[in-house]
């Protein structure tokens, strides 16, 4: 009987909600294992929680991580956009695949159901865009296969409690990166992205409203394409839900909602759930292609 392939070693940079949820997801992966959690300060609550869970931890951030000269197949960057470029510069020579969960827009923009396989064959530096981008772009891309959008709008609403300091510091980058990725992956010439942080109690689930203008929109093809796109996303993010889809003349409106299922993030933090699910799925696919000898890392 053929022995199962060894799981590939993954490291997570960042000890916040995203980093801890990534560690949990990796513990359930048949392809990757969480071999290290890296934080900046030794007093980080996240590092302490990770150690309690039996995970190997390291303080000192990217400098200590690189100096340790340990080999990792995949590194997930769950820090912030301002430092991601320095992280890539430090890690590029190691040969590790880098999966960027910040809106830095410095790697290959990846949405698994849109360009996941193509990106995995051509790059080892992936940018997961944003939570809003991962939610909206599968639907926007599907709509664009049925008509020719002239305008696309993405309005995401997340509970304030589900966003950390890094997200709030990166709102400008979030908007710019989301807009750039929507243009790139849907072909819409005019794009607007907005992010609302809601302090409401109880906390609302993560919701994304997509609006498209397309003179040649037809209701039935649009609805069928949207549902098919949602089904593909649910293969790795089961809580991805289309709550409404309407087509009136040239205007298309789609409402999307995601709840989280994790011991490290609350149910309303669907924004964290979708980007982490997409990141792990992308890394697993890249690893599988590498094992098959189908990937050629060129960037």
């Amino acid at each position: 009987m053929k022995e199962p392939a060894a799981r590939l070693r993954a490291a997570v940079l960042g000890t916040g909600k995203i980093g801890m949820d990534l560690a949990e997801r990796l513990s359930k992966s048949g392809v990757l294992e969480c071999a290290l959690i890296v934080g900046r300060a030794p007093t980080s609550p996240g590092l302490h929680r990770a150690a309690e869970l039996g995970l190997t931890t390291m303080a000192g951030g990217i400098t200590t991580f690189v100096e340790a000269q340990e080999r990792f197949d995949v590194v997930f960057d769950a820090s912030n956009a301002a430092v991601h470029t320095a992280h890539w510069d430090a890690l590029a020579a190691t040969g590790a695949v880098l999966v960027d969960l910040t809106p830095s827009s410095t790697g290959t923009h990846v949405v698994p159901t849109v360009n996941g396989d193509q990106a995995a064959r051509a790059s080892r530096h992936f940018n997961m865009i944003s939570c809003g981008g991962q939610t909206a772009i599968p639907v926007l891309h599907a709509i664009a296969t049925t008509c020719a959008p002239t305008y696309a709008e993405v309005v995401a609403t997340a509970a304030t409690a589900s966003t950390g300091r890094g997200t709030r510091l990166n709102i400008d980058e979030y908007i710019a990166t989301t807009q750039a990725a929507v243009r790139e992956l849907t072909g819409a010439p005019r794009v607007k992205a907005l992010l609302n942080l809601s302090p409401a109690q109880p906390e609302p689930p993560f919701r994304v409203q997509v609006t498209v203008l397309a003179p040649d929109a037809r209701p039935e093809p649009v609805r069928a394409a949207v549902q098919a796109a949602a089904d593909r996303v649910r293969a790795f993010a089961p809580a991805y839900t289309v709550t409404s889809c309407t087509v009136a003349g040239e205007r298309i409106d789609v409402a999307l909602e995601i709840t989280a299922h994790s011991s490290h993030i609350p149910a309303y933090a669907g924004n964290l759930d979708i980007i982490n699910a997409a990141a792990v799925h992308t890394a697993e696919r890249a690893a599988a292609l590498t094992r098959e000898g189908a990937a050629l890392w060129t960037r």
Side-chain angles (χ1 to χ4, degrees):
M1 181 181 293
K2 185 178 180 180
E3 291 291 328
R7 295 161 74 195
L8 300 181
R9 285 166 50 84
V12 177
L13 304 179
T15 60
K17 291 185 177 69
I18 289 180
M20 294 305 296
D21 181 63
L22 280 171
E24 179 179 338
R25 290 175 189 273
L26 293 172
S27 72
K28 301 173 183 176
S29 172
V31 179
L32 306 170
E33 65 170 329
C34 185
L36 183 66
I37 298 281
V38 182
R40 286 180 297 176
T43 56
S44 162
L47 277 186
H48 180 68
R49 288 194 300 273
E52 287 181 334
L53 293 172
L55 296 170
T56 302
T57 63
M58 176 184 290
I62 190 67
T63 301
T64 304
F65 178 64
V66 173
E67 288 175 351
Q69 295 186 334
E70 288 192 58
R71 180 185 175 276
F72 292 92
D73 301 287
V74 180
V75 178
F76 293 88
D77 190 351
S79 57
N80 67 75
V83 298
H84 175 75
T85 299
H87 289 176
W88 171 241
D89 289 344
L91 293 169
T94 69
V97 172
L98 183 56
V99 182
D100 177 18
L101 289 93
T102 82
S104 71
S105 207
T106 57
T108 300
H109 291 145
V110 179
V111 175
T113 59
V114 174
N115 68 332
D117 281 1
Q118 177 186 6
R121 293 176 188 276
S123 179
R124 62 182 180 88
H125 184 194
F126 305 117
N127 177 257
M128 303 313 298
I129 305 166
S130 66
C131 53
Q134 288 298 331
T135 305
I137 291 173
V139 164
L140 287 170
H141 179 266
I143 291 172
T145 65
T146 72
C147 56
T150 59
Y151 174 76
E153 182 176 286
V154 178
V155 181
T157 301
T160 302
S162 72
T163 59
R165 181 172 181 269
T167 298
R168 296 171 193 176
L169 288 172
N170 292 165
I171 288 178
D172 287 347
E173 290 86 351
Y174 172 103
I175 291 171
T177 297
T178 303
Q179 290 180 164
V182 170
R183 288 191 193 96
E184 175 188 341
L185 298 176
T186 72
R190 294 187 298 133
V191 175
K192 179 182 286 187
L194 299 170
L195 174 62
N196 299 321
L197 301 182
S198 172
Q201 294 288 334
E203 292 87 353
F206 181 59
R207 297 187 175 106
V208 175
Q209 180 70 32
V210 171
T211 301
V212 174
L213 298 181
D216 56 342
R218 293 175 295 149
E220 289 311 313
V222 166
R223 293 191 188 104
V226 167
Q227 290 301 330
D231 289 342
R232 290 191 291 271
V233 176
R234 280 192 286 269
F236 60 88
Y240 186 93
T241 304
V242 178
T243 58
S244 70
C245 178
T246 60
V247 182
E250 68 172 14
R251 177 167 175 150
I252 303 166
D253 288 289
V254 182
L256 303 161
E257 184 173 303
I258 302 170
T259 53
H261 298 276
S262 167
S263 61
H264 292 289
I265 56 178
Y268 57 78
N271 48 319
L272 308 184
D273 188 274
I274 186 64
I275 196 167
N276 279 2
V280 172
H281 185 79
T282 296
E284 288 178 336
R285 186 60 182 144
L289 288 171
T290 301
R291 280 179 170 162
E292 294 166 6
L296 177 63
W297 306 125
T298 59
R299 299 180 189 174

